């Protein structure tokens, strides 16, 4: 049975949209609100300020942050800077950051702690490669990522976790509802051990990886799937709106 939690759908625009295009896209999404889910738009840094000012039904998220609050870190943006812009959520540990920008588990851990310190809600991404799945290492990979990410974080009240199998991201090959549910259930059990069963029950666990309007309903029927982290399909207003509207309970 699905527990009654408000669903959440997050659009990760990655490195797409000029700020003007982003504003137009955000406005189109806004016009169809309010929605049956929390909706978070994560545009590139350059569009955060422009888009943030125009949001009413949607909330603002960033795709990354640095763990330090300020300093000599050329090219980086801190959680305090995001907070000052009205950002509420931040994606941390996306597999593209891990793979292309060599982010380690310990760097992800520091970012999560910093996000929480600044009052941002971290969306912590975990997921296995195809090789790891084929070698039946999915659960151990996820456990290791979670353990290192959350180690020593005592009261992560607002945290969200996104299961994003790397083989499903941008591939058009989403996890089956059964696979998503298996891993989400595993995550919930592990979080229950790390913290408490009631915290684990209240935690929103998102699925990400080739989520589209035509597969979202089956995924959302799974008892432990509480929402979605959407990449490519979040750049097409109608598709994204259909995904959000498929999450009514
Ligand atoms: P996708 O990306 O929906 O394009 O597969 C998801 C993500 O990277 O968060």
């Amino acid at each position: 049975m699905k527990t009654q939690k408000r669903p959440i759908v997050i659009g990760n625009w990655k490195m797409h949209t000029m700020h003007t295009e982003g504003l137009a896209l955000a406005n189109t999404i806004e016009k169809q609100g309010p929605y049956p889910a929390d909706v978070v738009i994560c545009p590139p840094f350059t569009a955060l300020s422009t888009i943030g000012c125009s949001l009413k039904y949607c909330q603002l998220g960033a795709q990354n942050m640095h763990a330090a609050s300020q300093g000599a870190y050329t090219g980086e943006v801190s959680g305090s800077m995001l907070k000052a812009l009205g950002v509420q959520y931040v994606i941390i540990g996306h597999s593209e950051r891990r793979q292309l920008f060599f982010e380690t588990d310990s760097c992800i851990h520091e970012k999560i702690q910093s996000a929480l310190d600044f009052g941002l809600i971290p969306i912590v991404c975990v997921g296995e490669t195809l090789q790891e799945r084929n070698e039946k290492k999915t659960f151990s990979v996820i456990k290791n990522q979670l353990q290192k990410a959350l180690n020593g974080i005592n009261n992560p009240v607002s945290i969200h976790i996104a299961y994003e199998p790397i083989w499903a991201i941008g591939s058009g090959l989403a996890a089956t509802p059964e696979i998503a549910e298996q891993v989400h259930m595993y995550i919930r059990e592990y979080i229950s051990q790390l913290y408490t069963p009631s915290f684990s029950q209240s935690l929103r666990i998102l699925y990400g990886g080739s989520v589209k309007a035509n597969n979202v309903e089956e995924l959302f029927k799974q008892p432990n799937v509480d929402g979605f982290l959407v990449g490519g399909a979040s750049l097409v207003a109608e598709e994204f709106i259909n995904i959000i509207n498929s999450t009514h309970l």
Side-chain angles (χ1 to χ4, degrees), residues 12 14 94 96 164 168-170 209-211 229-232:
N12 174 13
K14 309 194 180 182
H94 190 283
E96 285 155 15
E164 294 213 308
I169 295 178
S210 296
V211 174
L229 180 49
V230 186

Side-chain angles (χ1 to χ4, degrees), residues 134-184:
N134 290 339
E135 290 170 0
K136 308 210 178 315
K137 291 182 181 156
T138 299
F139 293 145
S140 64
V141 167
I142 303 276
K143 180 176 176 178
N144 187 46
Q145 289 173 337
L146 285 174
Q147 198 252 322
K148 291 191 170 138
L150 301 175
N151 183 26
I153 296 181
N154 294 327
N155 191 19
V157 262
S158 59
I159 213 159
H160 292 48
I161 291 171
Y163 169 53
E164 294 213 308
I166 295 169
W167 45 271
I169 295 178
S171 66
L173 195 80
T176 61
E178 293 72 28
I179 289 179
E181 174 60 15
Q182 252 183 6
V183 179
H184 283 223

Side-chain angles (χ1 to χ4, degrees), residues 2-62:
K2 222 173 166 83
T3 53
Q4 297 285 322
K5 276 184 225 98
R6 187 165 163 82
I8 179 164
V9 180
I10 301 180
N12 174 13
W13 291 0
K14 309 194 180 182
M15 198 171 73
H16 293 289
T17 73
M18 299 295 149
H19 72 286
T20 43
E21 294 164 340
L23 181 62
L25 178 55
N27 283 341
T28 310
I29 297 164
E30 273 288 321
K31 270 198 203 114
Q32 302 299 317
Y35 290 109
D38 289 339
V39 180
V40 182
I41 293 176
C42 301
F45 286 137
T46 46
L48 281 171
S49 172
T50 315
I51 291 177
C53 296
S54 73
L55 297 181
K56 182 167 137 208
Y57 299 122
C58 303
Q59 293 168 289
L60 194 60

